[in-house]
């Protein structure tokens, strides 16, 4: 019913479409209470550590997601551009890359490299949310998967906020931990120029544009759901099976 109504509507202009995408920032995970607590300094050390350990699963999944996009993309120019995202996270030419920088963040907040790599803290809800994003990228067209990365439009602000607020609130976090956020300020800005170009070019009918906004909402849901799982575990002290045991019995990645 709704789809029929939208189909009858004229397409948004490029500018209107871009404005509609940017308006989705209202639903970005910055608004989640877990993130709000991280900025205003009310997080405990365990809550920060839990976030870093869980987000590691997102970090290692991003290049897998980007490789899936390239695998579905027959356009050589796009692939040449897109591969930079994989290199940014995996490292190249002596640069350590985002995954290593995230491990350093983990150590700076007092986790060991081994416990982060073991994924022992990764909550099932976080894993399911991140896996949904990777699986979407595998199955969608490369243009749709590419445009789902556009929550990154809103990310530089979040990285900057962490750089501005965390050192004051959490003096126990070692300075070396902040390099990841610094690197992303430029990397994310560059990525969104390319992602936005693909998106504004690809979705031309109103119906397609509405679909893309729905895809962006899906990605926002991924990010929000990750924090919901962390809220249950680290704020409400209700991790999975808390009624049964204090042990972390969650499954490890079945495919990684
Ligand atoms: O810390 C954050 O809040 C945040 C959010 C996002 C995002 O919006 O998906 C990304 C990142 N960081 C990030 O560091 C990153 O490398 C990244 C890649 C992507 C993507 O979808 O391809 N999103 C994000």
């Amino acid at each position: 019913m709704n789809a029929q109504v939208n189909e009858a509507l004229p397409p948004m202009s490029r500018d209107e479409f871009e404005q509609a995408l940017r308006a989705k920032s209202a639903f970005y995970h910055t608004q989640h209470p877990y993130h709000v607590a991280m900025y205003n300094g009310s997080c405990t050390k365990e809550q920060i550590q839990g976030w870093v350990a869980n987000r590691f699963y997102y970090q290692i999944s991003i290049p897998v997601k980007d490789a899936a996009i390239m695998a579905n993309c027959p356009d050589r120019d796009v692939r040449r551009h897109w591969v930079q995202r994989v290199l940014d996270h995996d490292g190249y030419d002596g640069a350590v890359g985002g995954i290593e920088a995230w491990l350093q963040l983990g150590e700076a907040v007092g986790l060991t490299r081994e416990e982060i790599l073991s994924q022992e803290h990764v909550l099932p809800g976080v894993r399911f949310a991140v896996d949904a994003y990777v699986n979407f990228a595998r199955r969608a067209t490369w243009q749709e998967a590419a445009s789902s990365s556009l929550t990154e439009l809103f990310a530089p602000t979040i990285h900057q906020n962490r750089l501005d607020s965390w050192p004051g609130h959490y003096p126990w976090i070692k300075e070396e931990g902040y390099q990841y956020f610094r690197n992303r300020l430029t990397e994310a800005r560059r990525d969104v120029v390319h992602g936005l170009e693909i998106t504004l070019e690809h979705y031309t009918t109103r119906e397609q544009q509405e679909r893309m906004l729905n895809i962006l909402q899906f990605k926002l849901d991924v990010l929000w759901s990750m924090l919901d799982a962390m809220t249950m575990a680290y704020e409400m002290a209700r991790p999975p099976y808390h009624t049964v045991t204090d042990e972390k019995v969650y499954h490890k990645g079945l495919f990684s």
Side-chain angles (χ1 to χ4, degrees):
M1 181 72 181
N2 269 345
Q4 275 169 356
V5 172
N6 289 338
E7 234 174 299
L9 289 170
M12 290 178 248
S13 68
R14 261 176 100 97
D15 277 356
E16 286 165 343
F17 187 31
E18 185 173 338
Q19 287 316 308
L21 298 182
R22 290 184 185 277
K24 283 283 186 189
S25 69
F27 304 98
Y28 199 43
H29 57 176
T30 12
Q31 314 300 329
H32 195 287
Y34 203 98
H35 253 137
V36 173
M38 283 199 287
Y39 300 133
N40 68 21
S42 57
C43 267
T44 62
K45 187 171 186 179
E46 194 213 1
Q47 287 162 354
I48 298 276
Q49 289 180 333
W51 179 77
V52 171
N54 274 272
R55 257 291 296 257
F56 183 67
Y57 190 61
Y58 189 70
Q59 302 308 131
I60 57 172
S61 300
I62 291 290
V64 175
K65 180 270 299 182
D66 286 318
I69 294 176
M70 287 198 294
N72 287 332
C73 176
D75 185 319
R76 182 163 62 122
D77 286 337
V78 172
R79 286 201 309 267
R80 275 156 53 106
H81 219 119
W82 207 267
V83 72
Q84 187 60 45
R85 295 177 186 236
V86 177
L87 297 175
D88 284 344
H89 287 276
D90 286 346
Y92 66 105
D93 279 354
V96 294
I99 293 176
E100 176 57 30
W102 198 272
L103 284 166
Q104 286 166 14
L105 170 64
E107 290 179 313
V109 301
L111 297 164
T112 67
R113 189 168 274 263
E114 291 68 34
E115 73 183 306
I116 306 167
L117 287 167
S118 73
Q119 300 180 16
E120 67 193 78
H121 299 296
V122 179
L123 297 158
V126 168
R127 193 179 287 281
F128 296 147
V130 173
D131 288 350
Y133 185 32
V134 176
N135 286 326
F136 174 76
R138 289 188 174 126
R139 294 185 358 233
T141 63
W142 68 266
Q143 293 95 335
E144 288 195 347
S147 61
S148 69
S149 71
L150 277 183
T151 47
E152 274 203 281
L153 271 171
F154 322 128
T157 316
I158 213 172
H159 296 309
Q160 188 61 57
N161 285 349
R162 289 174 192 137
L163 290 168
D164 292 341
S165 68
W166 283 23
H169 292 316
Y170 310 109
W172 49 270
I173 299 180
K174 297 199 186 88
E175 158 61 24
E176 313 84 83
Y178 291 109
Q179 195 54 43
Y180 181 84
F181 302 135
R182 277 194 211 100
N183 293 349
R184 285 311 294 172
L185 290 176
T186 39
E187 291 169 358
R189 288 201 178 94
R190 185 211 52 215
D191 288 353
V192 296
V193 170
H194 188 217
L196 202 54
E197 197 180 285
I198 291 170
T199 301
L200 295 177
E201 199 60 37
H202 180 67
Y203 301 89
T204 50
T205 69
R206 181 66 179 229
E207 196 186 6
Q208 289 167 349
Q209 290 168 335
E210 297 290 350
R211 179 171 166 79
M212 193 278 148
L213 290 169
N214 199 25
I215 289 170
L216 197 55
Q217 187 59 53
F218 156 78
K219 171 67 177 304
L220 290 162
D221 295 351
V222 166
L223 297 170
W224 195 273
S225 301
M226 290 167 67
L227 292 173
D228 281 349
M230 291 184 229
T231 301
M232 289 291 285
Y234 307 120
E235 282 185 358
M236 304 175 77
R238 285 183 168 205
Y241 314 112
H242 67 279
T243 49
V244 183
T245 176
D246 290 339
E247 305 281 314
K248 295 187 171 71
V249 287
Y250 333 131
H251 71 286
K252 298 277 163 48
L254 299 179
F255 305 104
S256 60

